[in-house]
Amino acid sequence: MNYLLETDRLRLREFDLIDSDFIIDLVNSEGWLKYIGDRHIHTIPQAMNYLQNGPLKSYQLNGYGLSLVERKADGRAIGMCGILKREGLDVPDLGFAFLPEVAGQGYALEIVKATLEY
């Protein structure tokens, strides 16, 4: 794997279509639905479409985008974090989301700080 950055506990890498199962879990989690909204992604083809027209497209157009956050200890995908170019904003925006079962463990703060430094 080609990692963009690493912290003590986490790795950040670009998304790939093989991450479709993870995307289904993340975008249908309670926090995502409450704070980001329902993207109506429930199948592998829908998740692949989300990746192709979201993060993967952003990498090509902007040279950056949302990336997968992986826990070093077990290699498990636990969230996403990255810089986004959003319509209506003059400057890039920082975005992140994590699976609910890893909430409260400091992962978001750890990877956000590393992303900003990167």
Side-chain angles (χ1 to χ4, degrees), residues 5 7 9-10 69 78 80-81 94 96-98 102-117:
L5 62 89
T7 67
R9 302 183 297 166
L10 305 170
V69 179
I78 61 168
M80 64 168 59
C81 181
L94 178 67
F96 61 91
F98 286 84
V102 300
Q105 298 178 42
Y107 292 131
L109 180 60
E110 185 174 328
I111 202 67
V112 164
K113 285 174 68 176
T115 299
L116 289 173
E117 288 172 10

Side-chain angles (χ1 to χ4, degrees), residues 27-98:
V27 303
N28 290 293
S29 66
E30 182 180 340
W32 183 289
L33 294 171
K34 182 177 179 180
Y35 296 109
I36 299 171
D38 193 347
R39 297 292 189 251
H40 306 287
I41 299 169
H42 304 285
T43 66
I44 295 293
Q46 290 170 333
M48 291 174 81
N49 184 57
Y50 168 84
L51 288 167
Q52 288 171 325
N53 291 297
L56 301 178
K57 186 175 181 178
S58 182
Y59 305 153
Q60 292 174 340
L61 294 176
N62 306 311
Y64 57 86
L66 290 168
S67 296
L68 183 132
V69 179
E70 176 183 290
R71 197 165 42 197
K72 279 181 170 180
D74 57 8
R76 181 173 181 227
I78 61 168
M80 64 168 59
C81 181
I83 307 296
L84 301 156
K85 182 173 180 146
R86 296 189 194 268
E87 285 189 34
L89 293 180
D90 295 333
V91 296
D93 192 23
L94 178 67
F96 61 91
F98 286 84

Side-chain angles (χ1 to χ4, degrees), residues 10-25:
L10 305 170
R11 292 185 186 108
L12 190 71
R13 68 166 172 82
E14 290 185 349
F15 275 107
D16 191 282
L17 294 179
I18 62 170
D19 300 313
S20 296
D21 284 328
F22 169 71
I23 289 298
I24 292 169
D25 291 342

